[in-house]
Amino acid sequence: MLDMAKKKRKKIDWEKIEAEYWAGMLSIREIGRRNECSDRAIRKKAKKEGWERDLSKKVRQKVRSKIVRSQVRTATSEKEIIEAAATAGAQIIELHRVGIKNLRKLEEELTQELRDNPTRLYLAQYGGEIIEKEYEITVTERISALQALANTMHKRIQLERQAYNLDEERDPINKTIAEMSDEELQLIARGRTGED
């Protein structure tokens, strides 16, 4: 039985794991998941062999550089590069503003719908006949819809304030992506906060 378990085990590609570890772009758990290996085993091997995750900053810088270059392919001087990147950024902000405006319109429509005593349709079949009956939504359903709408409105207001640059001093918890450090962005990408 033990021999069969050993035969079924996949050989671990430690070179690939080491490269992913050094790159620092994936969490150790994710590296383990992708390579069918436990994160504990990776940590143990990394400690034993002195692996370091010091390439992540260089990788992030290269990613940012490629993004800027892809937006400014025809620019040649520093001034042209800055102008092209600023234009691309402004276009993105305008798209965000249009999206936020559309979200506001949907919120208003949903709010009005909730005010108009919404109903739900009940359909059933009985004795070969289809029965249709409308019922007002329950108080619980109404509360749930209002909570979801309030949450959406709260997020929309934050996005609006950010897109229109209405907050002079930024709360460190509500930073824009541009204001975050590389470490903060990496933590967010990994699904963690600074308190972990």
Side-chain angles (χ1 to χ4, degrees):
M1 184 86 165
L2 192 58
D3 291 331
M4 283 187 76
K6 285 183 181 178
K7 287 180 185 176
K8 287 185 179 181
R9 257 191 216 161
K10 183 181 171 189
K11 188 175 184 213
I12 297 171
D13 185 354
W14 286 110
E15 287 180 14
K16 180 181 175 200
I17 291 172
E18 183 178 6
E20 290 175 348
Y21 186 94
W22 276 86
M25 297 306 291
L26 301 172
S27 70
I28 296 172
R29 274 197 189 110
E30 181 61 18
I31 294 170
R33 188 190 65 75
R34 289 180 176 205
N35 293 283
E36 297 178 14
C37 176
S38 74
D39 57 312
R40 205 160 118 191
I42 294 171
R43 282 186 179 87
K44 186 177 177 183
K45 180 95 169 171
K47 186 176 180 181
K48 180 181 174 187
E49 296 187 7
W51 296 352
E52 294 182 31
R53 294 173 61 89
D54 60 357
L55 297 178
S56 58
K57 187 174 183 181
K58 290 178 183 177
V59 171
R60 281 192 304 276
Q61 287 172 340
K62 186 72 172 177
V63 168
R64 285 185 185 148
S65 174
K66 283 185 176 190
I67 289 170
V68 169
R69 267 192 247 124
S70 73
Q71 293 174 341
V72 293
R73 291 229 183 258
T74 59
T76 54
S77 71
E78 183 178 328
K79 186 176 179 180
E80 288 175 337
I81 291 171
I82 291 169
E83 183 61 34
T87 300
Q91 289 171 344
I92 289 169
I93 289 172
E94 277 304 312
L95 285 173
H96 291 170
R97 288 178 176 179
V98 169
I100 291 166
K101 184 178 177 181
N102 291 338
L103 182 59
R104 178 185 284 272
K105 186 177 176 184
L106 283 172
E107 289 170 9
E108 290 167 2
E109 290 171 8
L110 288 171
T111 302
Q112 187 58 47
E113 191 176 313
L114 283 170
R115 284 189 185 118
D116 294 340
N117 292 325
T119 58
R120 58 187 157 94
L121 184 61
Y122 173 77
L123 292 172
Q125 185 174 357
Y126 181 75
E129 291 184 39
I130 295 178
I131 301 168
E132 270 185 45
K133 189 161 184 173
E134 280 192 35
Y135 293 98
E136 282 190 20
I137 64 170
T138 65
V139 172
T140 306
E141 290 170 323
R142 189 179 298 268
I143 289 170
S144 177
L146 285 170
Q147 285 174 334
L149 184 58
N151 188 30
T152 301
M153 290 173 95
H154 175 73
K155 288 178 183 175
R156 189 238 334 129
I157 289 167
Q158 286 179 327
L159 290 171
E160 248 175 353
R161 295 189 71 78
Q162 184 178 337
Y164 288 89
N165 200 22
L166 296 175
D167 297 328
E168 278 197 33
E169 290 198 27
R170 307 280 317 155
D171 180 354
I173 294 172
N174 295 318
K175 291 181 181 177
T176 64
I177 291 175
E179 295 170 328
M180 292 182 189
S181 69
D182 292 341
E183 291 76 23
E184 290 170 319
L185 290 170
Q186 191 174 21
L187 287 172
I188 289 169
R190 291 181 182 165
R192 297 185 196 151
T193 60
E195 291 111 31
D196 291 33

